[in-house]
Amino acid sequence: MANAQINTEETDTRDILESMAENLPDDYDMTELVDILEKYRKHPINLNRTSVEELKTLVFLSPLQIGNFFTHLKENGQLTDVLELQSIDGFDIKTIQALLPFVTLTNIAEYQQLNFKNIIRTGENDLMMRFAQTLQKQKGYTDLPGNRYLGSPERFQMRYRYHYSSILSAAITLDKDAGEKFIGKPFGNIALFKLGKLKKLVIGDYTLQFGQGLTLWSGFSFGKGPDVTSVAKKDLGLRPYNSTNEYSFFRGGAATINLFKNVDITPFVSFRNLDASQKLDSEGNLVQATINQTGLHRTPTEIKNKGVLAQRVFGATVQYTKNEFAVGAIAYHTNYKNRFITQTATYDRYSFTGKALTNLGLFYN
């Protein structure tokens, strides 16, 4: 019976992943999505104590379904049985079956059990290593003698993750891409959740997703699917970043704090060194041409451009949320060590130039 239950849970997770895969970008790191589902399978969401932000991380729930769920709670009070979901508009049998492995109605006082002994004894440790190599010798290792791949063809990834219930997590990642000579510096984070007014705290690498991505959005988002309600992005706010992608994140510290009953503020600061192509202007000063977003360091040029551009970002978002309505404001400032210059290509004519940039935005839902 136990084996049958485990196999059923694995099948449920696999079915969800397969249904979402066709709507993901090509470079989306599927392990990040797997981690989310596995976390909730081991530590289910308490539906009577959850939030809009938490339910948004369940990728198979649409904003309309989430809104209908909280309307139901407001009008009828807390759920007494998970199967009450059948009475909520928009929750069909397929959605409920997908949801059941990841939710509960049990109250768990997680912080009352938090101590050093339990952190060591009951915390969960996950280690994943991946190795891959293309057997045929690729052109990058033989052609272009002045700019060929300098490293070996093996690709290697290692990730260590620690979770204590749903309130504490830590992660560290190592990555070597094919053609690189060395394993890059480790990157990771430590995160704390649900500590009174402090909803989230992340030190290290993190992503920020607010509004519809016009002003502030890092990391990946899901593409348009067959469900019309999936056209709108689900902004997940502050999240620890655990992917091996070496560009789409911030590095520093951020927190989401509840100021009042329905008002949250998320201040953040980030210090990173980006890969960029540089050249000298007419006065002999280094200026920027483009930022390299691939994270690859295989050739002499890519190695030369590694981490040469210092980027400093600081700002905050404020958001008011009540029932189905949410409105917020974003403000952040970015400084670069060197100046960006106008490019010659037509599509770059109106790209950012200079050393500093301020972004302001409003969003509502």
Side-chain angles (χ1 to χ4, degrees):
M1 182 66 70
N3 289 335
Q5 181 178 355
I6 292 172
N7 291 335
T8 300
E9 291 172 343
E10 291 177 349
T11 301
D12 292 338
T13 302
R14 186 169 61 250
D15 290 344
I16 293 169
L17 293 173
E18 289 175 353
S19 66
M20 299 303 300
E22 61 186 20
N23 301 320
L24 292 170
D26 293 337
D27 57 351
Y28 186 86
D29 188 353
M30 287 294 289
T31 56
E32 187 175 357
L33 180 55
V34 173
D35 289 340
I36 293 172
L37 296 179
E38 284 300 301
K39 170 188 171 184
Y40 289 139
R41 189 171 63 80
K42 296 175 181 177
H43 306 287
I45 294 173
N46 186 334
L47 288 177
N48 287 327
R49 300 180 62 185
T50 189
S51 63
V52 172
E53 192 174 57
E54 190 172 44
L55 288 186
K56 282 180 179 179
T57 60
L58 292 174
V59 294
F60 48 83
L61 288 183
S62 71
L64 182 61
Q65 291 170 323
I66 295 172
N68 290 344
F69 171 79
F70 284 101
T71 299
H72 179 86
L73 290 188
K74 180 181 178 182
E75 295 176 350
N76 301 283
Q78 293 189 344
L79 302 177
T80 57
D81 192 295
V82 176
L83 294 181
E84 270 187 66
L85 293 170
Q86 297 175 87
S87 63
I88 301 176
D89 188 30
F91 279 77
D92 54 23
I93 296 300
K94 182 179 179 181
T95 300
I96 295 173
Q97 288 176 340
L99 189 61
L100 287 179
F102 311 108
V103 297
T104 184
L105 300 180
T106 304
N107 290 318
I108 302 174
E110 295 170 306
Y111 274 99
Q112 293 180 6
Q113 304 172 14
L114 180 61
N115 55 55
F116 183 76
K117 182 179 179 180
N118 283 341
I119 287 177
I120 300 299
R121 187 177 62 181
T122 63
E124 298 173 6
N125 299 274
D126 296 313
L127 179 65
M128 184 199 76
M129 289 187 287
R130 178 184 297 170
F131 177 88
Q133 178 180 348
T134 301
L135 296 179
Q136 294 84 359
K137 194 166 187 177
Q138 297 171 289
K139 290 184 178 181
Y141 298 96
T142 56
D143 295 355
L144 303 173
N147 209 30
R148 65 183 182 86
Y149 300 165
L150 300 180
S152 59
E154 300 87 7
R155 181 179 182 184
F156 175 76
Q157 294 177 353
M158 187 189 77
R159 302 182 187 188
Y160 168 74
R161 308 258 173 97
Y162 171 85
H163 290 281
Y164 176 79
S165 189
S166 61
I167 60 176
L168 177 65
S169 72
I172 188 169
T173 302
L174 290 169
D175 180 53
K176 176 196 175 297
D177 291 303
E180 294 182 341
K181 294 197 300 182
F182 46 79
I183 296 176
K185 294 180 180 180
F187 52 97
N189 54 64
I190 298 175
L192 191 65
F193 306 90
K194 304 177 185 177
L195 183 57
K197 291 283 188 178
L198 183 63
K199 289 187 171 182
K200 303 176 186 176
L201 172 66
V202 182
I203 304 297
D205 297 339
Y206 61 91
T207 63
L208 296 168
Q209 298 179 351
F210 291 96
Q212 289 296 296
L214 182 62
T215 312
L216 179 62
W217 195 285
S218 60
F220 297 108
S221 62
F222 291 96
K224 298 176 183 178
D227 182 3
V228 68
T229 59
S230 69
V231 172
K233 291 182 178 180
K234 290 193 285 187
D235 49 342
L236 302 177
L238 170 63
R239 296 179 61 200
Y241 185 77
N242 297 320
S243 173
T244 56
N245 181 284
E246 298 179 39
Y247 177 76
S248 304
F249 63 92
F250 295 101
R251 174 168 290 164
T256 296
I257 304 164
N258 179 243
L259 294 180
F260 310 106
K261 183 177 180 181
N262 298 309
V263 179
D264 295 335
I265 185 171
T266 302
F268 56 91
V269 61
S270 173
F271 305 93
R272 288 194 61 197
N273 290 327
L274 305 178
D275 300 347
S277 59
Q278 298 181 324
K279 61 183 180 180
L280 294 174
D281 63 9
S282 58
E283 299 176 358
N285 298 316
L286 278 175
V287 292
Q288 304 303 138
T290 58
I291 292 178
N292 180 7
Q293 302 182 17
T294 66
L296 298 173
H297 308 109
R298 305 161 300 181
T299 67
T301 299
E302 290 173 344
I303 294 173
K304 176 185 175 183
N305 294 339
K306 181 181 179 182
V308 296
L309 177 62
Q311 179 199 55
R312 305 292 180 261
V313 183
F314 61 89
T317 68
V318 178
Q319 183 167 342
Y320 171 85
T321 305
K322 187 173 183 180
N323 300 329
E324 300 87 1
F325 178 73
V327 62
I330 301 169
Y332 67 100
H333 184 76
T334 305
N335 274 305
Y336 295 99
K337 181 180 179 181
N338 300 319
R339 180 171 58 90
F340 282 84
I341 59 174
T342 303
Q343 300 298 296
T344 55
T346 303
Y347 61 82
D348 273 327
R349 184 174 299 172
Y350 299 103
S351 294
F352 164 70
T353 59
K355 296 176 66 174
L357 180 67
T358 300
N359 284 273
L360 304 172
L362 297 172
F363 60 91
Y364 73 92
N365 190 31

